[in-house]
Every structure is written in structure tokens, then in C-alpha cells.
Amino acid sequence: MDRHLAFDKLHNFRDLGGYRTADGLRVRPGRLYRADSLGKLTRDTPDWHRFLSLSVGTVIDLRHPWEADARGRVPTDPSFTCHNLSIEHRPYDQAAQTPDVDPGTYLAERYLEVAEDGTKELAAALELIARADAPLAFHCASGKDRTGQLAALVLALLGVPDATIVFDFTLTELATEALLSDWRARNEGRSPAWPAFGRAPAAAMRLFLTGLRSRHGSVESYVTEALGLNATRLTATLRAHLLEPVATTWPPPTFRRATPAEAPLLVRLRDTAALWQLAHGIDQWKPGEKNETHFRDRMESGEIWLSHTDTSVTGAYELWWSDPAAWGPRPPDAGYIHRLMTTPYTAPPATGRALLTHAESRIAAANRPYARLDCLSSNPRLRTYYETAGYTVVGEQREKTDGPGSPYAVTLLEKRLR
């Protein structure tokens, strides 16, 4: 389920595989990786062996040479070559920014500076990626800004939609706390002055893509005019090396109850789903709203189920046996489905419907004739999804409360089970 590959010292190492293009193909898994500083790798450690196991043939280091000298470079190895291409020509100190600096606007402006300054290095990086006949990894310091810009250019040239590019950028949010911890360790325990340090707001990538197209007309025109490359030829080579057809068949999902030890996994799954919603302009979930205690409490008072395809987690849902906050006092005639979530871009099609069906089977097994759920009244897209699954709108709760937040309005939906 998780695009972040597990390392001890690396916090933001991700596979770009699996993202869909507008014309129905997908990025091949295991071919293109983005990461925080590979200079944190040390020979003969589990991290080093894990990295070598990926068969990376080319590493692109996007940092300034002085950064690499100060913080370390990836150890040399005959299995790969390393290229230092510093795309950022005007260094800036994010940690020193004041709290009033808006992160979306500020970061987008810096990214546009890099797009205009680092043309020689960006062109070289794109050509290396296009020519690579083995897996390739590119990185900067945190794996967010310079790495995010290069990832955005590659994904855009491959035909991946903007919402997906924005989502990929925001996934650094899952590593923010670890990146902050590293910064504090290097700075005698102090915290950055800028509250947004280490954050990856969706607005930053949206504004960058909008600004780049405003200046150049399209990403392809930018590649041609500013980078001096043949965008048509480059795009064709990238697509030939990095895209593949989407699978048409998948193993059937399997389901099992989550355990308390899996509360961190559920937090991460929900936060990932929240980032997907924000990237797609859906204002419903926010990362960090539900912690491990929430999920453990729900396991005690109800049920939480995980879905798997092969060995990968692809989704989850909560099943409650009462829901007075939304539905008021009720007889024990229903099960209440909450936090239905799937893994973005990695769950097989119809995983959400399979989770709903499984939840309904659990409710029916408890001899309760109704499945009930709610969604934000301001989210018509989700309401339509549930209606196509057989749920009927039966009312609205205008002042639902769920934790310490302000009351909000939800639409109530119900399905009679056979």
C-alpha cells in the first residue's frame, strides 16, 4: 500500500510506479525512484543492502556540490553511476522563513526560479532518465522540492494528470516529522522558525505547474524552448521506457480484521487517502485528524477490516454498531460503515465496492437489516458513489460532531440488506 520504501535512515524514498496516464497506461513499478539524500546511506548496513537490491543503475544527485560535501554523497559502487546535477542556482533557507510566509506561494516561486535557472542541469537529468536501461533514482536533501520538480516534469511528459502529480508531491507530508527530527538533530535540538518547514502543500505544486504553463504554454513547450530538447522525441523515449499497459485482471481481495498493532498502518492509510482527496480538490479529510488511539478504540467498540490483494494492503473500513452523533438513538437494527478507504493508484478497480460488500455481509451476519453511512453534505461526488452502490438518502444531520472539531453537516444514507 505504501509508496515509501522502508529504510532506517531514508524517510522519503518512493517508487513512482503505478501512476496512470490520461491515455490508460501506467508507470512501470521498480524503474524510477525519488528520494531524500542518498548520502545518508552507509556501506554494509541493512539500508545499503536494501538499496542495492533495487538494481539501480543510475543515481542523480540534485543538490549543490557544497551540500554533498557537507552531508555526504552516496557511497560508490560498480553497480551504478552517479551524476551531480545541481538544478538550484539561488539557494534559499526554508527553515529561517517567518511564520507569515505562505508555503504554497513561496515554494512555487522558488520552483519557478529553478525552472528558469537550472535549465542545463534539468535537461541533462531528463536525458539521463530517458536513456536509462536500468532503474534510476534521483534525490536532493529532503526529497521534496528539487526532487519534486523533476518528478513533476517527468510525470507530466508521460501524460500523468496534474491531480496525480500534485498527490505525488504531497506524499512528502508522510515523512515530514522524520525530516524535522533529522533537522533538529543537526541543529542542537532547535526547531525551524518556519512552521511549514518540511511540508509539501498541494498549492505549491499546483501553482508551479500553472506558472510554468503560463510562461511557456505547456510543459512540452518549456522543454523545447527553455531546456533546448526535442520534447516530442524525449516524450516518446520516456514513454517507451517507463510506461506499460494496466493489468486487466487481479486476484480476488481477501479480508481480515485489523489488530491493535496495526493502528500505525491505519493512520498512514487514512492520511494517504486524505492527501489524495486534497490533491483532487475534495475538502473532506485532513492528514493527522485520526491518531492510533482512535483506531484502537474503534477496534474495541466495533470492528476494523483490512483488504489485501496478494500480500499488499489495498483498503480498510470501520464498522460501528451504533452512531448516535449522526443518527441519534436507534434500536440495534443496523451497522454503521465509516472511513471506507482504498490505497490511491495501487488498489485494483472496484476495491471500494468490495469493501462495502464485505461490510454489508458482516452486518447481515449480525442479523441487522440495515447498512448505514454518512458523507459530508458538501461532497456530492461521494454521495453519488454510495447511491450507485444501492444506498438511499434518508436525511441529513446538520450538526454532527466527531472529536474536537466544529459541528458539520452530513447526508445520511441507508441500504436495506437482504
Side-chain angles (χ1 to χ4, degrees):
M1 60 153 281
D2 204 333
R3 290 190 170 275
H4 284 83
L5 277 67
F7 289 88
D8 294 329
K9 298 295 185 181
L10 304 179
H11 312 304
N12 206 11
F13 194 108
R14 293 188 254 138
D15 189 344
L16 287 171
Y19 288 135
R20 306 288 182 86
T21 64
D23 58 353
L25 300 175
R26 73 167 192 166
V27 181
R28 292 171 60 189
R31 292 286 300 184
L32 193 59
Y33 298 100
R34 52 175 296 171
D36 49 332
S37 175
L38 297 184
K40 293 184 282 189
L41 292 173
T42 303
R43 289 183 184 280
D44 299 324
T45 62
D47 274 3
W48 180 244
H49 297 307
R50 176 71 192 277
F51 175 72
L52 292 180
S53 74
L54 301 175
S55 301
V56 168
T58 305
V59 170
I60 301 175
D61 185 345
L62 301 173
R63 297 175 298 166
H64 297 279
W66 56 262
E67 282 182 278
D69 291 339
R71 300 277 176 79
R73 302 174 188 271
V74 63
T76 58
D77 191 84
S79 64
F80 62 84
T81 58
C82 187
H83 304 262
N84 190 188
L85 299 171
S86 178
I87 64 175
E88 182 183 273
H89 292 200
R90 284 179 263 183
Y92 57 100
D93 187 355
Q94 292 189 29
Q97 300 306 305
T98 53
D100 61 304
V101 174
D102 175 70
T105 303
Y106 176 78
L107 291 174
E109 289 173 350
R110 303 292 79 72
Y111 299 169
L112 288 169
E113 288 176 356
V114 170
E116 300 304 323
D117 295 345
T119 53
K120 178 181 177 181
E121 294 82 4
L122 282 166
L126 288 172
E127 289 187 310
L128 283 170
I129 293 170
R131 295 198 307 264
D133 55 4
L136 180 146
F138 57 96
H139 74 93
C140 55
S142 65
K144 174 172 73 80
D145 303 304
R146 291 163 286 188
T147 297
Q149 291 170 257
L150 182 55
L153 292 176
V154 173
L155 293 175
L157 291 170
L158 290 173
V160 172
D162 279 6
T164 306
I165 297 172
V166 171
F167 169 75
D168 177 69
F169 173 75
T170 64
L171 280 178
T172 289
E173 294 275 335
L174 300 180
T176 295
E177 287 306 314
L179 295 170
L180 274 169
S181 179
D182 280 0
W183 191 93
R184 294 187 183 105
R186 295 194 305 268
N187 290 273
E188 301 175 338
R190 293 183 292 108
S191 292
W194 198 32
F197 180 83
R199 306 300 299 272
M205 183 52 63
R206 285 200 192 99
L207 290 170
F208 168 62
L209 292 171
T210 299
L212 196 70
R213 293 188 178 110
S214 176
R215 294 181 183 186
H216 298 278
S218 67
V219 174
E220 290 76 12
S221 294
Y222 165 75
V223 168
T224 298
E225 298 167 1
L227 304 190
L229 300 176
N230 184 317
T232 301
R233 185 180 303 128
L234 175 69
T235 298
T237 305
L238 287 169
R239 287 175 61 87
H241 286 176
L242 292 175
L243 297 184
E244 67 181 11
V246 175
T248 56
T249 60
W250 294 266
T254 58
F255 301 90
R256 64 174 179 82
R257 286 185 74 163
T259 66
E262 291 170 314
L265 180 152
L266 290 160
V267 170
R268 197 169 181 90
L269 177 57
R270 186 193 180 279
D271 285 350
T272 302
L275 290 171
W276 181 92
Q277 290 179 5
L278 292 172
H280 287 76
I282 301 170
D283 186 17
Q284 182 154 334
W285 292 357
K286 304 292 188 302
E289 288 177 323
K290 302 299 178 187
N291 58 21
E292 295 176 23
T293 299
H294 164 85
F295 289 105
R296 293 192 183 102
D297 288 347
R298 288 304 169 192
M299 291 179 205
E300 290 184 3
S301 61
E303 301 177 3
I304 300 182
W305 286 82
L306 293 166
S307 68
H308 288 75
T309 300
D310 288 332
T311 59
S312 299
V313 174
T314 51
Y317 70 87
E318 297 177 13
L319 181 57
W320 303 5
W321 298 117
S322 65
D323 186 6
W327 293 82
R330 294 272 181 158
D333 61 350
Y336 300 84
I337 304 167
H338 284 273
R339 261 163 289 285
L340 183 79
M341 45 194 177
T342 61
T343 56
Y345 307 108
T346 57
T351 296
R353 188 63 64 85
L355 286 161
L356 272 179
T357 300
H358 185 268
E360 292 160 7
S361 72
R362 294 293 302 166
I363 296 167
N367 294 316
R368 300 194 177 203
Y370 294 100
R372 293 181 180 137
L373 46 80
D374 66 75
C375 67
L376 278 179
S377 298
S378 58
N379 191 347
R381 179 175 174 179
L382 186 57
R383 168 179 166 170
T384 299
Y385 175 81
Y386 287 131
E387 287 178 323
T388 60
Y391 286 78
T392 302
V393 174
V394 295
E396 187 168 296
Q397 166 60 270
R398 295 187 178 276
E399 293 190 339
K400 180 181 176 181
T401 56
D402 184 11
S406 302
Y408 54 96
V410 295
T411 300
L412 305 176
L413 298 102
E414 179 180 87
K415 182 177 183 178
R416 174 83 186 196
L417 305 178
R418 295 178 181 175

